[in-house]
Amino acid sequence: MGPSVQGSGRSVVTIGVYDGVHRGHQRVVERAVAVAGERGLPAVAVTFEPHPDEVVRPGSHPQRLTSPRRRAELLAGLGVDEIDVVEFTLEVSRTSPADFAQSVLAERERAAVVVVGEDFVFGQGASGDVETLRTLGDKYDFEVEVVPRLGGVSSTGVRELIVAGDVVGAAAALGRPHRVEGVVVRGYQRGRQLGFPTANVETRQHTAIPADGVYAGWLECVPVANLPALYAGERWPAAISVGTNPTFEGVPRTVEAYALDRDDLELYGVHVAVDFAARLRGNTRFESIDALIEQIHADVAATRRLTS
């Protein structure tokens, strides 16, 4: 490692979309933080918004594993000092690797070291790779460190697991349960009528939502600006329903969470997070309300076991 250049205004940079901040991402970011510590420099994570696929392939709408706010929270939790979100536009997508290295890494970030994963690509048409980056580092005075890929872990793979309802597999790749966030809105209040009041979570567009079914997990209140901070930081085991509710026709796809043993919560307008621990079953059409209530009792008992 080279000498410390503390106070030079330079930084150690890691760069990527980092949607999901999965275990592979974590390895890269943690290495950047370690290098920054050794050099006495701040660690900066450069990410992009919107997702580059949205711009390069309009209408592709990749399902987002993390909101920008959650991604920043996770990166900060890994020890990153600063998060620089680059607005990804058509113009940015057409920037050559050399121009990107000069304008973003050398000039904007004043990078002393750039830490990336071995499959990192950048620049117009993803034409630059880690060898391109090393060559440009020689030109623009930054070192490059490449972190080996963690086999079998990718944002695309995690999305596929979630779409299939395999939230246990997704959690293994993420290093934590998959989380869906949103504001609690008024639903049909059928859960309340059945004795199991649910928080009806209005999610962001293109959120990666697990396959329809019933899940065990947790419901947590997450304080965000300009929204009520009721129950801030509180977390409860929860039975979670995803889908259109086949027992009641004409219901749009929803995420609803029942906090076990809590029928006293007033969550309307509160920002919440729903963490998925395990899938209990698919959605079923019940012949009677009594049969549905009996199944909900079984789901609650299973949730209690899995989250205790």
Side-chain angles (χ1 to χ4, degrees):
M1 280 295 169
S4 168
V5 280
Q6 193 163 14
S8 65
R10 303 195 70 183
S11 63
V12 174
V13 176
T14 183
I15 182 167
V17 178
Y18 287 141
D19 185 29
V21 194
H22 57 59
R23 286 172 53 234
H25 294 150
Q26 291 165 32
R27 284 178 65 167
V28 179
V29 174
E30 285 167 350
R31 182 59 193 149
V33 169
V35 172
E38 293 164 3
R39 301 293 184 96
L41 295 174
V44 178
V46 176
T47 67
F48 303 96
E49 197 62 36
H51 194 292
D53 283 358
E54 292 267 11
V55 176
V56 177
R57 290 182 284 280
S60 62
H61 302 312
Q63 300 299 292
R64 295 299 294 267
L65 300 171
T66 43
S67 66
R69 187 204 66 79
R70 175 66 168 160
R71 178 180 60 187
E73 179 181 81
L74 291 167
L75 290 170
L78 294 171
V80 169
D81 297 296
E82 182 183 335
I83 296 153
D84 187 1
V85 181
V86 174
E87 183 183 3
F88 198 87
T89 61
L90 267 178
E91 184 181 6
V92 171
S93 76
R94 293 168 178 155
T95 304
S96 70
D99 285 347
F100 185 86
Q102 180 183 7
S103 63
V104 176
L105 299 176
E107 295 175 0
R108 178 166 165 152
E109 307 301 344
R110 300 205 62 209
V113 187
V114 178
V115 180
V116 293
E118 67 177 315
D119 51 359
F120 176 72
V121 291
F122 68 111
Q124 185 170 16
S127 55
D129 59 14
V130 292
E131 290 310 315
T132 314
L133 189 63
R134 288 189 202 278
T135 301
L136 291 167
D138 291 339
K139 180 176 181 179
Y140 293 114
D141 189 31
F142 58 79
E143 297 172 40
V144 174
E145 182 166 335
V146 178
V147 178
R149 188 171 187 269
L150 182 63
V153 177
S154 69
S155 296
T156 300
V158 175
R159 289 187 194 102
E160 290 170 353
L161 291 167
I162 290 166
V163 165
D166 184 1
V167 295
V168 172
L174 291 168
R176 64 183 184 279
H178 175 56
R179 169 171 286 195
V180 168
E181 294 188 41
V183 176
V184 178
V185 297
R186 288 192 182 275
Y188 293 93
Q189 297 195 316
R190 292 201 177 99
R192 186 173 295 277
Q193 293 161 13
L194 298 173
F196 301 93
T198 59
N200 188 10
V201 184
E202 186 173 72
T203 58
R204 289 170 62 100
Q205 194 176 24
H206 310 311
T207 292
I209 296 174
D212 287 4
V214 177
Y215 297 82
W218 295 271
L219 176 66
E220 181 176 338
C221 293
V222 181
V224 296
N226 304 321
L227 284 173
L230 289 171
Y231 316 108
E234 289 198 48
R235 180 176 170 87
W236 308 281
I240 305 153
S241 173
V242 177
T244 55
N245 197 333
T247 302
F248 302 97
E249 294 180 4
V251 180
R253 194 161 189 256
T254 59
V255 176
E256 296 180 67
Y258 164 62
L260 267 53
D261 308 319
R262 296 300 298 265
D263 59 4
D264 58 331
L265 300 175
E266 293 295 339
L267 293 172
Y268 294 125
V270 174
H271 188 93
V272 299
V274 177
D275 288 340
F276 291 83
R279 190 169 193 254
L280 302 178
R281 60 178 176 88
N283 281 350
T284 307
R285 183 182 177 89
F286 291 91
E287 294 305 316
S288 69
I289 298 299
D290 286 346
L292 171 59
I293 291 173
E294 185 178 347
Q295 182 60 59
I296 293 173
H297 277 291
D299 296 336
V300 166
T303 297
R304 206 182 297 282
R305 287 194 303 273
L306 287 163
T307 58
S308 62

